[in-house]
Coordinates of all heavy atoms in Angstrom, one line a residue:
R1 N -27.4 -6.0 -15.3 CA -28.5 -5.5 -14.5 C -29.8 -6.3 -14.5 O -30.6 -6.2 -13.6 CB -28.8 -4.0 -15.0 CG -27.7 -3.1 -14.7 CD -27.8 -1.8 -15.4 NE -26.7 -0.9 -15.0 CZ -26.6 0.4 -15.5 NH1 -27.4 0.8 -16.4 NH2 -25.5 1.1 -15.1
T2 N -30.0 -7.1 -15.5 CA -31.2 -8.0 -15.6 C -31.0 -9.4 -15.1 O -31.9 -10.2 -15.1 CB -31.7 -8.1 -17.1 OG1 -30.7 -8.7 -17.9 CG2 -32.0 -6.7 -17.6
R3 N -29.8 -9.7 -14.6 CA -29.4 -11.0 -14.3 C -30.4 -11.7 -13.3 O -30.8 -12.9 -13.5 CB -28.0 -11.0 -13.6 CG -27.4 -12.4 -13.4 CD -26.1 -12.3 -12.7 NE -25.1 -11.6 -13.5 CZ -24.3 -12.3 -14.3 NH1 -24.3 -13.6 -14.4 NH2 -23.4 -11.6 -15.0
D4 N -30.9 -11.0 -12.3 CA -31.8 -11.5 -11.3 C -33.2 -10.8 -11.4 O -33.9 -10.9 -10.4 CB -31.2 -11.5 -9.9 CG -30.9 -10.0 -9.5 OD1 -30.9 -9.2 -10.4 OD2 -30.6 -9.8 -8.3
A5 N -33.5 -10.2 -12.5 CA -34.8 -9.5 -12.6 C -35.9 -10.4 -13.0 O -35.8 -11.4 -13.7 CB -34.7 -8.4 -13.7
D6 N -37.1 -10.2 -12.4 CA -38.3 -10.9 -12.8 C -39.1 -10.1 -13.9 O -39.7 -10.7 -14.8 CB -39.3 -11.0 -11.6 CG -38.7 -11.9 -10.5 OD1 -38.6 -13.1 -10.7 OD2 -38.3 -11.4 -9.5
V7 N -39.0 -8.8 -13.8 CA -39.6 -7.9 -14.8 C -38.7 -6.8 -15.2 O -37.9 -6.3 -14.4 CB -40.9 -7.2 -14.1 CG1 -41.5 -6.3 -15.1 CG2 -41.9 -8.3 -13.7
I8 N -38.6 -6.5 -16.5 CA -37.8 -5.4 -17.0 C -38.7 -4.4 -17.7 O -39.6 -4.8 -18.4 CB -36.6 -5.8 -17.9 CG1 -37.1 -6.6 -19.1 CG2 -35.6 -6.7 -17.1 CD1 -36.0 -6.8 -20.1
V9 N -38.5 -3.1 -17.5 CA -39.2 -2.1 -18.1 C -38.2 -1.2 -18.9 O -37.2 -0.8 -18.4 CB -39.9 -1.2 -17.1 CG1 -40.8 -0.2 -17.8 CG2 -40.8 -2.0 -16.1
L10 N -38.5 -1.0 -20.2 CA -37.5 -0.3 -21.0 C -38.2 0.5 -22.1 O -39.4 0.3 -22.4 CB -36.6 -1.3 -21.7 CG -37.3 -2.4 -22.5 CD1 -37.1 -2.1 -24.0 CD2 -36.7 -3.8 -22.1
N11 N -37.5 1.4 -22.8 CA -38.0 2.1 -23.9 C -37.1 1.9 -25.1 O -37.6 1.4 -26.1 CB -37.9 3.6 -23.5 CG -38.5 4.5 -24.6 OD1 -39.1 4.0 -25.6 ND2 -38.2 5.8 -24.5
K12 N -35.8 2.1 -25.1 CA -35.0 2.1 -26.2 C -33.9 0.9 -26.2 O -33.3 0.7 -27.2 CB -34.3 3.4 -26.5 CG -35.3 4.6 -26.7 CD -34.5 5.9 -26.9 CE -35.5 7.0 -27.1 NZ -36.3 6.9 -28.3
V13 N -33.7 0.4 -25.0 CA -32.7 -0.7 -24.9 C -33.1 -1.9 -25.7 O -34.3 -2.3 -25.8 CB -32.6 -1.1 -23.4 CG1 -31.6 -2.3 -23.3 CG2 -32.1 0.1 -22.6
E14 N -32.1 -2.5 -26.5 CA -32.4 -3.6 -27.3 C -32.6 -4.9 -26.4 O -31.8 -5.1 -25.4 CB -31.3 -3.9 -28.3 CG -31.2 -2.8 -29.4 CD -30.2 -3.2 -30.4 OE1 -29.6 -4.3 -30.4 OE2 -30.1 -2.4 -31.4
V15 N -33.6 -5.7 -26.7 CA -33.9 -6.9 -25.9 C -33.5 -8.1 -26.8 O -34.2 -8.4 -27.8 CB -35.3 -6.9 -25.5 CG1 -35.6 -8.2 -24.7 CG2 -35.6 -5.8 -24.6
N16 N -32.4 -8.8 -26.5 CA -32.0 -9.9 -27.3 C -31.2 -10.8 -26.4 O -31.1 -10.6 -25.1 CB -31.2 -9.5 -28.5 CG -30.1 -8.5 -28.1 OD1 -29.4 -8.6 -27.0 ND2 -29.8 -7.5 -28.9
E17 N -30.6 -11.9 -26.9 CA -29.9 -12.8 -26.1 C -28.7 -12.2 -25.4 O -28.4 -12.5 -24.3 CB -29.4 -14.0 -27.0 CG -28.8 -15.1 -26.2 CD -28.6 -16.4 -27.0 OE1 -28.8 -16.3 -28.3 OE2 -28.2 -17.4 -26.4
K18 N -28.1 -11.2 -26.0 CA -26.9 -10.6 -25.4 C -27.3 -9.8 -24.2 O -26.6 -9.7 -23.2 CB -26.3 -9.7 -26.5 CG -24.9 -9.1 -26.0 CD -24.2 -8.3 -27.1 CE -22.9 -7.8 -26.7 NZ -22.2 -7.0 -27.7
S19 N -28.5 -9.1 -24.2 CA -28.9 -8.2 -23.1 C -29.6 -8.9 -22.0 O -29.6 -8.5 -20.9 CB -29.7 -7.1 -23.7 OG -30.9 -7.5 -24.3
I20 N -30.4 -10.0 -22.3 CA -31.1 -10.7 -21.3 C -30.8 -12.2 -21.2 O -31.6 -12.9 -20.5 CB -32.7 -10.5 -21.5 CG1 -33.1 -11.1 -22.8 CG2 -33.0 -9.0 -21.4 CD1 -34.7 -11.2 -22.9
G21 N -29.8 -12.6 -21.9 CA -29.5 -14.1 -21.9 C -29.2 -14.7 -20.5 O -29.5 -15.9 -20.3
Q22 N -28.8 -13.9 -19.6 CA -28.5 -14.4 -18.3 C -29.6 -14.2 -17.3 O -29.5 -14.5 -16.1 CB -27.2 -13.7 -17.7 CG -26.0 -13.9 -18.6 CD -24.8 -13.2 -18.1 OE1 -24.2 -13.5 -17.0 NE2 -24.3 -12.2 -18.8
A23 N -30.7 -13.5 -17.8 CA -31.8 -13.2 -16.9 C -32.7 -14.5 -16.8 O -33.8 -14.6 -17.4 CB -32.6 -12.0 -17.4
K24 N -32.3 -15.4 -15.9 CA -33.1 -16.7 -15.8 C -34.4 -16.6 -15.1 O -35.3 -17.4 -15.3 CB -32.2 -17.7 -15.0 CG -30.8 -17.9 -15.6 CD -30.8 -18.3 -17.1 CE -29.4 -18.5 -17.7 NZ -29.5 -18.8 -19.1
N25 N -34.7 -15.5 -14.4 CA -35.9 -15.4 -13.7 C -37.0 -14.5 -14.4 O -38.1 -14.3 -14.0 CB -35.7 -14.7 -12.3 CG -34.9 -15.6 -11.4 OD1 -34.8 -16.8 -11.5 ND2 -34.1 -14.9 -10.5
L26 N -36.6 -14.0 -15.6 CA -37.4 -13.0 -16.3 C -38.7 -13.6 -16.7 O -38.8 -14.7 -17.4 CB -36.6 -12.5 -17.6 CG -37.2 -11.3 -18.3 CD1 -37.3 -10.1 -17.3 CD2 -36.4 -11.0 -19.5
K27 N -39.8 -12.9 -16.4 CA -41.2 -13.4 -16.7 C -41.9 -12.4 -17.6 O -42.9 -12.7 -18.3 CB -42.0 -13.5 -15.4 CG -41.4 -14.4 -14.4 CD -41.3 -15.9 -14.8 CE -40.9 -16.8 -13.7 NZ -39.7 -16.4 -13.0
L28 N -41.5 -11.1 -17.5 CA -42.3 -10.1 -18.2 C -41.4 -9.0 -18.7 O -40.5 -8.5 -18.0 CB -43.3 -9.4 -17.2 CG -44.2 -8.3 -17.7 CD1 -45.1 -8.7 -18.9 CD2 -45.0 -7.7 -16.6
V29 N -41.6 -8.6 -20.0 CA -40.8 -7.5 -20.6 C -41.8 -6.4 -21.0 O -42.8 -6.7 -21.7 CB -40.1 -8.0 -21.9 CG1 -39.4 -6.8 -22.6 CG2 -39.1 -9.1 -21.6
C30 N -41.7 -5.2 -20.4 CA -42.6 -4.1 -20.6 C -41.9 -3.1 -21.5 O -40.9 -2.6 -21.1 CB -43.0 -3.5 -19.3 SG -43.8 -4.6 -18.1
V31 N -42.5 -2.8 -22.6 CA -41.9 -1.8 -23.5 C -42.8 -0.5 -23.5 O -44.0 -0.6 -23.8 CB -41.9 -2.4 -25.0 CG1 -41.2 -1.4 -25.9 CG2 -41.1 -3.7 -25.0
T32 N -42.2 0.6 -23.1 CA -42.9 1.8 -23.0 C -43.0 2.6 -24.3 O -43.6 3.7 -24.4 CB -42.3 2.7 -21.9 OG1 -41.0 3.1 -22.3 CG2 -42.3 2.0 -20.6
A33 N -42.3 2.1 -25.4 CA -42.3 2.8 -26.6 C -43.5 2.4 -27.5 O -44.2 1.4 -27.2 CB -41.0 2.5 -27.4
T34 N -43.7 3.1 -28.6 CA -44.8 2.8 -29.5 C -44.4 1.7 -30.5 O -45.3 1.0 -31.0 CB -45.2 4.0 -30.3 OG1 -44.1 4.6 -31.0 CG2 -45.8 5.1 -29.5
G35 N -43.1 1.5 -30.7 CA -42.7 0.4 -31.6 C -42.0 -0.7 -30.9 O -41.8 -0.6 -29.7
T36 N -41.7 -1.7 -31.6 CA -41.1 -2.9 -31.0 C -39.9 -3.4 -31.8 O -39.5 -4.5 -31.7 CB -42.1 -4.1 -30.9 OG1 -42.6 -4.4 -32.2 CG2 -43.2 -3.7 -29.9
N37 N -39.3 -2.4 -32.5 CA -38.1 -2.8 -33.4 C -36.9 -3.2 -32.5 O -36.0 -3.9 -33.0 CB -37.7 -1.6 -34.2 CG -38.7 -1.3 -35.3 OD1 -39.7 -2.0 -35.5 ND2 -38.6 -0.2 -36.0
N38 N -36.9 -2.8 -31.3 CA -35.7 -3.2 -30.4 C -35.9 -4.5 -29.8 O -35.0 -4.9 -28.9 CB -35.5 -2.1 -29.4 CG -36.7 -1.8 -28.5 OD1 -37.9 -2.0 -29.0 ND2 -36.5 -1.4 -27.3
L39 N -36.9 -5.3 -30.1 CA -37.1 -6.6 -29.5 C -36.8 -7.7 -30.5 O -37.2 -7.7 -31.6 CB -38.6 -6.8 -29.1 CG -39.2 -5.8 -28.1 CD1 -40.6 -6.2 -27.8 CD2 -38.4 -5.7 -26.8
D40 N -35.9 -8.6 -30.0 CA -35.7 -9.8 -30.8 C -36.8 -10.8 -30.5 O -36.7 -11.6 -29.5 CB -34.3 -10.4 -30.4 CG -33.9 -11.6 -31.3 OD1 -34.8 -12.2 -31.9 OD2 -32.7 -11.9 -31.3
K41 N -37.8 -10.8 -31.3 CA -39.0 -11.6 -31.0 C -38.8 -13.1 -31.1 O -39.4 -13.8 -30.3 CB -40.2 -11.1 -31.9 CG -40.5 -9.6 -31.7 CD -41.5 -9.2 -32.7 CE -41.6 -7.7 -32.7 NZ -40.4 -7.0 -33.3
E42 N -37.9 -13.5 -32.0 CA -37.7 -14.9 -32.1 C -37.0 -15.4 -30.9 O -37.3 -16.5 -30.4 CB -36.8 -15.2 -33.3 CG -37.5 -15.0 -34.7 CD -36.6 -15.3 -35.8 OE1 -35.5 -15.9 -35.6 OE2 -37.0 -15.1 -37.0
Y43 N -36.1 -14.6 -30.3 CA -35.4 -15.0 -29.1 C -36.4 -15.1 -27.9 O -36.4 -16.0 -27.1 CB -34.2 -14.1 -28.8 CG -33.6 -14.4 -27.5 CD1 -32.9 -15.6 -27.3 CD2 -33.7 -13.5 -26.4 CE1 -32.3 -15.9 -26.0 CE2 -33.2 -13.8 -25.2 CZ -32.4 -15.0 -25.0 OH -31.9 -15.3 -23.8

């Protein structure tokens, strides 16, 4: 679903190479949660 996305908005979905590795146009990740444990920050 993120393959051709420029922006993704999420709450609980994990953001890592497996989930956004093919999203070549991605410019912005918006997290609506209070924490960021679901983000692979190194990636």
Side-chain angles (χ1 to χ4, degrees):
R1 293 169 177 177
T2 61
R3 189 185 295 270
D4 57 349
D6 295 289
V7 178
I8 60 172
V9 185
L10 58 104
N11 181 14
K12 299 180 181 297
V13 177
E14 291 189 1
V15 177
N16 49 39
E17 186 170 7
K18 188 174 181 181
S19 60
I20 65 167
Q22 301 179 68
K24 304 304 181 185
N25 298 330
L26 191 60
K27 306 294 190 305
L28 177 64
V29 177
C30 303
V31 184
T32 63
T34 54
T36 56
N37 291 354
N38 56 331
L39 301 183
D40 184 340
K41 300 174 192 70
E42 289 185 10
Y43 174 69

